[in-house]
Amino acid sequence: MDAQHFLRHLVYDLKITPNHVIMNLPASAPELLTVFRGYPITTTATTTTTTTTTITTNPTIHLHCFAPKIKINPQSHTLAIERCEKSLGCKLDKQRDQLSIHIVRDVSPANNMICMSFKLPPAIQQLTPIILESKPTQTTTTTTTTDTTKTNDNEQLSQPPQAKKTRLQ
């Protein structure tokens, strides 16, 4: 099960709503944000005699991705935000969504790994969810070798490698 299927399974099948989602696949994490389209954000208000507490179930996303260094491209962070917005299908607002960006590490002379943290925007719940294709069960073949047995000083007998089929789910 890949990350998109796992998150859908948690939210829609098991009815578990995460508070934080960490996406640490810097090469492809922004494109994986499509899984949040149509995400059910709910608000629950609890009132006591003196206070009203409001709980909203939009998780904080911590997304790692690669971005050009600012001295090479001053629009570096803007480009990373635009990649995320394209996949989400809606705009990120710095204040409303508590968007913050920090450099995690220097990965090459031209790029940094950055971490973008933001609350899932409320507009996400009005978007049509993207239907994920179910992954077919894969069958792989692995080869195992057996030990050789010496019979004479120069002769070796060995059994041919045996193929073993393994089912991945």
Side-chain angles (χ1 to χ4, degrees):
M1 181 180 303
D2 68 7
Q4 289 180 314
H5 287 91
F6 177 71
L7 185 63
R8 289 244 184 231
H9 176 66
L10 282 179
V11 174
Y12 296 104
D13 299 337
L14 301 179
K15 307 295 185 214
I16 296 172
T17 53
N19 292 323
H20 293 267
V21 176
I22 300 169
M23 302 177 78
N24 193 9
L25 293 167
S28 60
E31 287 70 34
L32 296 175
L33 287 171
T34 57
V35 73
F36 290 106
R37 291 184 184 187
Y39 187 89
I41 295 174
T42 57
T43 303
T44 307
T46 305
T47 306
T48 63
T49 54
T50 56
T51 61
T52 299
T53 305
T54 303
I55 299 171
T56 304
T57 62
N58 59 331
T60 300
I61 310 297
H62 305 280
L63 182 135
H64 293 80
C65 66
F66 297 123
K69 292 184 178 176
I70 293 205
K71 61 184 168 186
I72 294 171
N73 184 345
Q75 298 299 314
S76 172
H77 291 175
T78 303
L79 295 172
I81 292 168
E82 287 172 356
R83 274 179 73 193
C84 292
E85 289 173 339
K86 181 179 178 184
S87 292
L88 284 170
C90 62
K91 293 283 186 190
L92 290 170
D93 180 89
K94 188 171 184 167
Q95 288 185 338
R96 179 199 62 212
D97 303 324
Q98 302 169 20
L99 175 64
S100 66
I101 299 174
H102 70 272
I103 296 171
V104 175
R105 65 186 176 102
D106 184 344
V107 293
S108 76
N111 289 318
N112 282 324
M113 181 190 299
I114 63 171
C115 179
M116 297 176 49
S117 296
F118 56 91
K119 291 292 233 178
L120 201 57
I124 205 83
Q125 65 187 342
Q126 297 167 353
L127 298 172
T128 303
I130 291 179
I131 305 301
L132 301 174
E133 294 179 21
S134 60
K135 294 183 86 171
T137 304
Q138 298 174 348
T139 303
T140 61
T141 303
T142 56
T143 304
T144 56
T145 57
T146 57
D147 292 325
T148 57
T149 310
K150 254 188 181 181
T151 55
N152 291 334
D153 289 338
N154 296 330
E155 288 183 47
Q156 287 187 348
L157 296 176
S158 67
Q159 296 177 349
Q162 297 177 1
K164 181 179 177 183
K165 289 201 172 194
T166 308
R167 247 195 141 136
L168 301 178
Q169 300 202 11

